[in-house]
Structure formats: structure tokens, C-alpha cells
Amino acid sequence: MIPRSRTASLLALGALGAICLSGCSSEKRPVQELKPLALKEQVSNIVKSADGYAVTWAGVLSNANPWHFGEHVVATIVGHDDKGAEVVRMDQPLDAVPPGGSLAFTGQATSVEKPAKVTIQYRPARWRMAARIPSAFQSFPITRSQTLRQKDGSYLITGYVGNPYQMPASSLVVNALLRDKAGKLLGGGSTFVDDVKAGSPPRFILTVSGLPAGATVARTDITARTWGSTGRPYEDLALAGAVPIHTVKPATEPFAVDRSTQVVNEHKQ
């Protein structure tokens, strides 16, 4: 028989535990804090044109969040003259930044007055959790690329872009970033390719002009991505599945005895 004093103590402890459990269950789970996009690199070039001045730019946005797309991002390019007056402004909608990845972008605008300084800013992204794990979002392979300097100082970039997914990509953006020997970003350009099917890579051609006088291009970084302010096109490709790596049927005969099973049986004995 349990004494009354001990019974009262046990009842009190039970009530206290129930209160703790009810309080703990009512607490909200902590909200995951997402890191903002980071503008890792940016460069701009200004050259005289028939309409005034041609302003070109290139940049790289980085997404440190491995499970979320950064969507509806808009870059704002602003140019000021040597007196601080604004002479050019342009809002450039950008494509979705993939989870744990980066986004290269380029653009151009025309200014009547010559800007002395050009800066790139961007509006915060809207975050959306990806429907697949990060490894499902494979990159689009670039093959047989060439960077050829032209007589006028521009650069012609060509190559082929592949599709690692089973479903065709309706439209992809190809970006080329030109760098010097030290890896410094000099400029870049973009183009589009349509109906990219696995096993049938289309060719792309783009031209980059307006680089600083005397600049020497030592490396070209070429990437391809889905087009659009959301990651839905990329997700649709990933959900359809990647093309199997091994697509050729083995030509050799199978083993007469499964050696792995044999080893397991011998170990059990």
C-alpha cells in the first residue's frame, strides 16, 4: 500500500508533466532562417555608340540556401555621371537562382550621357522550397566550346549545350563570362537555345563586345539554365528524371554464380 504523502507527490508530478507536455506541444517550431542572395561579382563597361553610350554589365548571384529557389529577383542597374547625376537606370528581371547554386547574368542599355560609375543592386528574392533534393538539379553540360577574338576586338563564343534530363527543355539561357588570367571578370554575354533534347545538343553562338581596351581574355565560363522568374521549369525537368548514365546493354555473359551471395553464405557458415 502506497502512503498518502507519496501518492500526493506522484499525482503532483503527473500533473506537472501534463502541463509541460501541453505547453511544449503548443510551442511553434522555429522558422528556418534563409540567407539572402549575395552578389559575388559585378562588372560594367561603357563604350561610345551611335546613340550615345552603350553600357554593358555582367554579374553573378549566389544562393547559399540548399533547399530553396530564389525567385522573382530583379536587378537594378544605375549609372551616374562624374557630377553624381543619374544618367541611366534599368530594371532587369532575372531568372530563378537554383538551390545552393549561382546565377550568371548579363545585360546592356543605352545612355545619352556618359556614366562615370555603374552599380548593380537587386531586390530580395521570394523563397520557395524545392520539390526535389539538391542533387536532382543537375547542370546542363557545355561541350566543344570556343572563344575567338575578332578583328574589331569583340569575342565570338560558340559551343553545344546538352540536356541531362529525360524531358526536353523548351528554352535555355546560355551565359558566357569572360575572365583574365587572374580570374577577374571582364564582361559577358547571353543567348537562348530552344527545344534541347537529351542526346541532341544544339549549337549556340553569342558575341561579347565592349571589353576594356587592352583586356586579355584567358578563360570563358559558360553556363546554361532554365528561363523564367520561377524555378518551375527546372523542377519539371528534375521531376521527370535524369537520363540513365549506362544506356548500353552489357555484351558479356552474366556470372554463373552470384559471387556476392556466395561470399555472404560462406560468412554465415
Side-chain angles (χ1 to χ4, degrees), residues 187-269:
S190 305
T191 189
F192 289 87
V193 288
D194 298 324
D195 192 26
V196 185
K197 299 177 181 178
S200 181
R203 188 175 186 230
F204 64 85
I205 302 175
L206 63 93
T207 302
V208 178
S209 58
L211 297 186
T216 302
V217 175
R219 190 180 90 216
T220 303
D221 294 339
I222 305 174
T223 56
R225 65 175 186 271
T226 54
W227 177 80
S229 60
T230 74
R232 294 294 184 187
Y234 205 177
E235 272 188 337
D236 291 342
L237 292 172
L239 289 170
V243 175
I245 299 176
H246 303 289
T247 57
V248 180
K249 185 178 180 180
T252 57
E253 293 294 330
F255 290 113
V257 179
D258 189 340
R259 298 181 65 183
S260 62
T261 305
Q262 184 179 2
V263 171
V264 171
N265 291 336
E266 291 177 354
H267 179 72
K268 288 181 178 179
Q269 293 175 0

Side-chain angles (χ1 to χ4, degrees), residues 7 50 56 68 76 105 153 156 162-163 176 198 209 222 247 249 259 266:
T7 302
T56 61
H68 291 76
T76 301
F105 64 94
L156 180 70
N163 181 3
S209 58
I222 305 174
T247 57
K249 185 178 180 180
R259 298 181 65 183
E266 291 177 354

Side-chain angles (χ1 to χ4, degrees), residues 56-69:
T56 61
W57 60 86
V60 179
L61 274 175
S62 177
N63 179 7
N65 304 293
W67 299 97
H68 291 76
F69 277 99

Side-chain angles (χ1 to χ4, degrees), residues 22-38:
S22 62
C24 293
S25 62
S26 63
E27 290 181 0
K28 294 183 179 179
R29 298 176 65 180
V31 179
Q32 181 181 0
E33 293 186 3
L34 298 175
K35 299 178 181 178
L37 296 175

